[in-house]
Every structure is written in structure tokens, then in C-alpha cells.
Amino acid sequence: MPKDSIIKPADRTRDIKYAVRDVVVLANEIAATGREMLYLNIGDPNKFDFATPPHMVEAMQRAIADNYNGYAPSSGIPEAVDAIEREARRKGIDNINDIFVTTGASEAIEICITALADEGDNILTPSPGYPLYQAVLAKLGVVENPYYLNEEMGWQPDLNDIASKIDDRTRAIVIINPNNPTGSVCTVETMKGLIKLAKEHNLVIFCDEIYDKLVLDDDKKHISLASLDHSVPVITFNGLSKSYLGPGLRIGWGIVSGDSEVLKDYDGAINQILRARLCANHPIQYAIKPALEGDQSHLKEVRAKLRSRRDITYEMLNAVEGITCEKPEGAFYAFPRIHVDNSDEHFVKELLKATGVVVVHGSGFGQVPGTQHFRVVFLPPEDILRKAYQNIANFFGDYVRKFAHAAAK
Ligand code: PLP
């Protein structure tokens, strides 16, 4: 084939990476050899012993049967938007300007960034953090401005680091609370510090709360950042993927709150984009009201399972010489540190080849240079987790001897 007939992809795709799925390519090769695989890499509850609550399933089935299969309003069907508003008010968010339903929280995030930032502007994103933000920014030519989470302080956002990285092209701060990949939950004090910085520098706060109902310990409560201040511009993202066990339903939303005069033009731009992409999946939106206002008993069960899986994760990984792990307070992720001096991507690939355990390298989420981590998803049942952690423990010593000098703890 002549070389100049090869279709050249756009330059903007060059920096789009999604480590979570990239590791699957190697995993598939290893699985094809017939090896037993232990998947601790994908944050999809429905792949394990979790299922969408039946009252949500019935509502969706009914909506399809009743022919709610045409286009929906661009911001979402009124009964869903109203339920999201009541839910936001229950969480103390009261200065609500707008609510819109999207194709997963992912689309809300992408639309809100697209409507805010021009090429060359920058957005502060948590490091470690969820790679979607990096991918959207790369696509738009908006500069990713990563700020660090402080591992020694339970992975709280480092406010000094954030303050030092704000410049005149900074437009927003992203916080993920509870965080993916660390499972950390933001303290009220940290959130108040973030609000202060946002107000001083005229920034929007993007608050990703997709794991808000998966705070695992009963003595801890999730606080929405937007409930702490009436005027600061915040967009809170949430959806059905995690707490309501329906990631493939692809339903999420954004809640715009804060001073309406300040937000007027920006919210107008968001709505221009919402209209241009028509609407989110129409019949599936009928699951939103039953999800938020119907039977919540699945949450008790999910949190109990995750709590004991989290405890196994925390205990078994910390028992390995050369691995340390902060205790996750929410979501279903842990981000253990490996005290070695070569790359975590190398570690993850060697672990996969030697044991069939699939985890994602820390560098795929961002981390303080010179540190190495990997992300574990503790959704699988306890026997799988125990087996995987035992494999990691057996492998780690060999790995250090063969490839890496153990660094000082
Ligand atoms: N935000 C965070 C922090 C996530 O971890 C994920 C999925 O893993 C998403 C957003 C994507 O959410 P959705 O499935 O609603 O698009």
C-alpha cells in the first residue's frame, strides 16, 4: 500500500490515553494462553456480584414498552430533572441554577469543560485522578494542570500545591470526591480551602461526586462541596453508574449551582452544546426518579460487601514487605504504593505475565514523580481478592530481587 494513502489521525488524538483499558490489551494476550486471570482493573460493579435494582429495571422496561423512544428534551425529562433537584436539596445544595441529564457523567464533564475553556487555558486536575479529564483536555487543546493529592495526609488535595499552580489562564479546579483511584474522601476543611481559592481567582469548581453514596464506614457522611457555599460557581457531577449499579445505562447529570449572575453566560454556552447533541438516552432516563427516590436497600448491601473487601485489601497489601496502602474511605479503589525504584508500568506488566493478576499502573492516573503505585479495584468477591493479593505477595519479593532495588520505605 502506498504510504501516502494511509489515513492520518488528527494530532489531537496523540495524547489521549486511558490506562484502565490499555492494560487490557496485554491481559487479553495472556488470557488467550489459557492462564487463569484475576481481574482487579475495571470499575464495573455489574461484572461481579452486583446488579441494577429491579425497580429501576422495571421503570426502563416500561418506558420502552410505552414508546418513550423518541428524542427527549435536551436537558432531560422533567420528572428526572425534578428528582435530581430534590436529591441535590437533600444534600444541602440550594442555589441551583440548572440541571441537565447526559450520556453518563462523562458527557456532562466533557460538555462543561468544552463550554468553559479555550485552547491554551488550563484546568487543575487531581493527581492521581481519573484519566477521563486528561483525555478530554487533550482533545480540546486545554492544558492539564495537575495538582497533587497528599498521600501522607490520606490523599487530601494539597491546597498549597493548587495555590502555587493557579495562573491567569486557569479556569477551573476539578475535585473527585470520593476519589478514583485512591478512595479518599475530602474533608470539609479541604473543601473550604478549595472554595476560597476558587473565589479569589474566579474559577469554576467541577465536583465529581459519582461515588458519593459509596462512603464505606457508617460514621462517615458524604458532604457535597456545593452545599458549603452559596455563591461559588460549582458543577456537581453524578449519575447511575456506580451507586445505582448501572454503568452501561450511560446516564449521568450535572448540577450548576452558585451566583446566577456570574454563571449566566457560561450556563447558556453549556445549553447550546446540550441542544446541539439532541439528548441523553430517553427511555433510560425513567430510571432516575425510581433510583433516587425509590427503595435504597441495595446501598446497604453494596456498602457492607465493599467494606469487608476494602478491609481485606488494606490488610493483605500492607502485610507485604515493600507495599504500603492508605485505607480507602469510599468508592471501590485502593492505590497502594510500591517501594521500588523502577516504573510501576513495568511492575504491572510483569505481575500480569507471572500471575494473571490485572491491576493498573499508578502512572496512568498521575502521581508525585519518583513514587510508584498501582490501582486495585476491590469489587471482586473475597475469594478472588484473597487469591490475587496472595499472588501479589508471592510475586513481589521475586520481582524486587530480579528487577528492582527496593527503595527505603
Ligand atoms: N468520574 C469518575 C471519577 C469515574 O471513576 C467514572 C467512571 O469510572 C466516571 C466519572 C464516569 O462516569 P459515567 O459512567 O457516569 O460516565
Side-chain angles (χ1 to χ4, degrees):
M1 191 192 303
K3 217 167 164 220
D4 56 5
S5 68
I6 291 173
I7 308 290
K8 176 192 160 299
D11 291 340
R12 71 170 74 86
T13 60
R14 211 174 24 222
D15 295 328
I16 298 176
K17 296 199 176 64
Y18 195 71
V20 180
R21 296 227 161 176
D22 292 349
V23 73
V24 174
V25 177
L26 178 61
N28 287 346
E29 283 170 26
I30 310 269
T33 67
R35 170 186 278 286
E36 183 194 20
M37 304 297 287
L38 297 165
Y39 292 101
L40 274 59
N41 61 318
I42 296 272
D44 182 346
N46 302 54
K47 289 229 156 50
F48 305 98
D49 52 341
F50 302 93
T52 314
H55 60 289
M56 288 171 60
V57 174
E58 279 158 30
M60 294 183 278
Q61 284 171 333
R62 210 177 323 118
I64 291 173
D66 289 347
N67 198 27
Y68 290 121
N69 302 323
Y71 291 121
S74 291
S75 285
I77 58 170
E79 74 158 68
V81 171
D82 291 349
I84 295 165
E85 179 170 352
R86 286 190 291 272
E87 167 80 0
R89 290 191 192 284
R90 280 195 292 279
K91 293 208 69 184
I93 304 175
D94 55 5
N95 202 5
I96 299 170
N97 292 226
D98 198 9
I99 289 172
F100 43 87
V101 179
T102 49
T103 304
S106 302
E107 192 194 26
I109 292 163
E110 175 150 10
I111 288 174
C112 292
I113 294 175
T114 308
L116 180 73
D118 284 315
E119 241 180 277
D121 286 343
N122 69 74
I123 291 187
L124 283 150
T125 54
S127 177
Y130 180 55
L132 167 75
Y133 289 91
Q134 188 193 12
V136 170
L137 296 176
K139 193 163 87 177
L140 294 171
V142 177
V143 179
E144 186 197 11
N145 187 358
Y147 69 84
Y148 292 120
L149 306 185
N150 192 333
E151 186 165 10
E152 282 72 40
M153 308 221 348
W155 294 114
Q156 290 299 304
D158 184 333
L159 293 173
N160 291 330
D161 192 43
I162 295 176
S164 75
K165 287 174 174 166
I166 296 173
D167 63 27
D168 54 5
R169 297 295 304 268
T170 307
R171 304 300 314 279
I173 308 176
V174 174
I175 99 156
I176 304 174
N177 181 34
N179 180 267
N180 175 4
T182 64
S184 58
V185 174
C186 240
T187 64
V188 168
E189 197 190 348
T190 305
M191 289 191 280
K192 285 189 172 161
L194 283 165
I195 291 169
K196 187 162 172 282
L197 285 172
K199 283 182 152 178
E200 276 167 17
H201 298 277
N202 201 25
L203 308 176
V204 177
I205 301 180
F206 290 139
C207 194
D208 185 331
E209 298 190 349
I210 193 99
Y211 300 100
D212 67 335
K213 294 193 175 142
L214 300 180
V215 171
L216 302 178
D217 296 302
D218 287 334
D219 58 349
K220 278 237 144 72
K221 198 172 157 265
H222 183 267
I223 310 280
S224 282
L225 180 143
S227 71
L228 298 175
D229 190 283
H230 202 67
S231 61
V232 69
V234 182
I235 307 190
T236 304
F237 301 114
N238 213 323
L240 299 182
S241 290
K242 310 293 177 172
S243 310
Y244 292 97
L245 306 173
L249 303 178
R250 308 307 304 128
I251 287 290
W253 53 82
I255 303 163
V256 183
S257 62
D259 186 323
S260 56
E261 274 306 302
V262 170
L263 280 161
K264 197 171 57 191
D265 291 352
Y266 175 39
D267 189 44
I270 290 172
N271 278 279
Q272 272 174 277
I273 302 177
L274 287 168
R275 288 192 292 272
R277 76 23 155 163
L278 299 176
C279 64
N281 189 319
H282 185 181
I284 307 300
Q285 294 187 46
Y286 286 89
I288 296 175
K289 183 170 187 280
L292 297 178
E293 298 184 345
D295 184 2
Q296 305 289 308
S297 56
H298 75 284
L299 277 172
K300 200 164 173 237
E301 227 174 278
V302 170
R303 287 172 57 249
K305 276 188 194 171
L306 291 180
R307 210 161 35 237
S308 74
R309 293 173 197 189
R310 182 270 316 264
D311 291 346
I312 291 168
T313 303
Y314 176 71
E315 278 153 31
M316 288 189 74
L317 289 175
N318 276 308
V320 181
E321 176 77 34
I323 297 182
T324 52
C325 183
E326 289 293 311
K327 194 171 198 166
E329 295 184 321
F332 32 67
Y333 307 104
F335 201 59
R337 181 165 177 183
I338 46 171
H339 296 264
V340 297
D341 58 7
N342 64 338
S343 88
D344 45 32
E345 189 164 357
H346 181 264
F347 169 76
V348 160
K349 287 182 175 161
E350 292 303 317
L351 175 73
L352 179 50
K353 286 192 262 177
T355 67
V357 174
V358 192
V359 294
V360 184
H361 45 285
S363 47
F365 302 91
Q367 57 195 351
V368 172
T371 65
Q372 280 80 28
H373 300 80
F374 61 95
R375 187 192 74 167
V376 162
V377 177
F378 53 80
L379 284 168
E382 294 183 13
D383 55 329
I384 308 267
L385 291 178
R386 285 184 195 282
K387 199 166 177 181
Y389 299 143
Q390 194 53 56
N391 283 352
I392 291 174
N394 296 343
F395 170 78
F396 195 75
D398 289 346
Y399 178 77
V400 169
R401 270 190 297 281
K402 200 160 160 199
F403 294 111
H405 304 291
K409 257 200 190 183

